[in-house]
Amino acid sequence: MTTQAEKPKDRVLIFDTTLRDGEQAPGFSMSTDAKLIVARALKALRVDIIEAGFAAASPGDAAAVKAIAEEIEGPVICSLARASIGDIEAAARALEPAKRNRVHVFLGTSPTHRQAKLQMTKPQIIDKISEVVAFAKTCVQEVEFSPEDAIRTERDFLLEAVRAAIAAGASTINIPDTVGYTTPEEIADLFRFLIANAPGDVVWSTHCHDDLGMA
């Protein structure tokens, strides 16, 4: 018999990004063989989702993602992708051998990202989220969406972005503290707001940095 606590929607899923975000630490670049060793260890630890890399970043990263997708069974194998068709296609090609695959799409939503990095308006951001998430959904089994710099994004607009991603087919919504500056109380309140106001049966996720020791 499955109890309420055992149902998947009540589980905490472990999304490990050692092979992608972790590799960005100075001096921590890994070969494909080294990444496979780590991926095998993550499988043994029963990690739910392995973010194997950023396939569009380089041919080497794409090769590593593909090697992990070919060998590792059990966890969902994921590749990061910017909000572009080319990135998503590169991720899908690398992930094709995986029995369970996911593309993790991100796009900045804060005023700083919209104005200084992307030069995009709010409506353009929403349109782009809808376009790329819907496209990714045609390429892989699962799509995760992250509004980059979510913590510094206006709450109403962040909610609009999240709703657009869910409507386009994202099954996991990740709220990242990109600059590592929020407090536990603030991020908890933000999640309560988003969960209460965003429709759909999705998995909620977070990604925090420890710059101030509060991740």
Side-chain angles (χ1 to χ4, degrees), residues 11-155:
R11 287 182 54 218
V12 173
L13 302 174
I14 304 300
F15 179 103
D16 189 280
T17 189
T18 302
L19 295 171
R20 198 278 301 171
D21 204 16
E23 196 193 19
Q24 294 177 0
F28 198 58
S29 181
M30 292 181 282
S31 66
T32 296
D33 287 344
K35 288 188 175 186
L36 278 167
I37 291 171
V38 174
R40 291 171 191 140
L42 294 173
K43 176 184 175 180
L45 288 168
R46 299 176 66 188
V47 164
D48 297 286
I49 305 104
I50 297 175
E51 191 167 54
F54 189 170
S58 69
D61 227 29
V65 172
K66 186 173 183 180
I68 292 167
E70 288 174 337
E71 178 180 326
I72 303 299
E73 293 186 19
V76 175
I77 308 301
C78 175
S79 173
L80 188 70
R82 289 166 297 198
S84 78
I85 300 301
D87 269 33
I88 293 166
E89 289 176 333
R93 284 193 298 270
L95 292 166
E96 190 173 358
K99 289 192 175 180
R100 304 172 65 200
N101 58 26
R102 171 186 296 193
V103 168
H104 179 191
V105 181
F106 70 95
L107 182 65
T109 52
S110 71
T112 300
H113 279 241
R114 295 194 309 265
Q115 296 158 17
K117 179 181 177 181
L118 301 169
Q119 289 88 50
M120 294 173 70
T121 64
K122 287 182 178 181
Q124 287 173 328
I125 293 286
I126 298 301
D127 288 346
K128 177 60 72 171
I129 291 170
S130 299
E131 174 195 356
V132 297
V133 170
F135 178 74
K137 187 65 177 172
T138 69
C139 298
V140 291
Q141 296 162 351
E142 300 178 11
V143 180
E144 176 172 352
F145 174 72
S146 286
E148 188 179 9
D149 206 16
I151 301 301
R152 296 192 298 175
T153 301
E154 308 94 319
R155 281 200 173 190

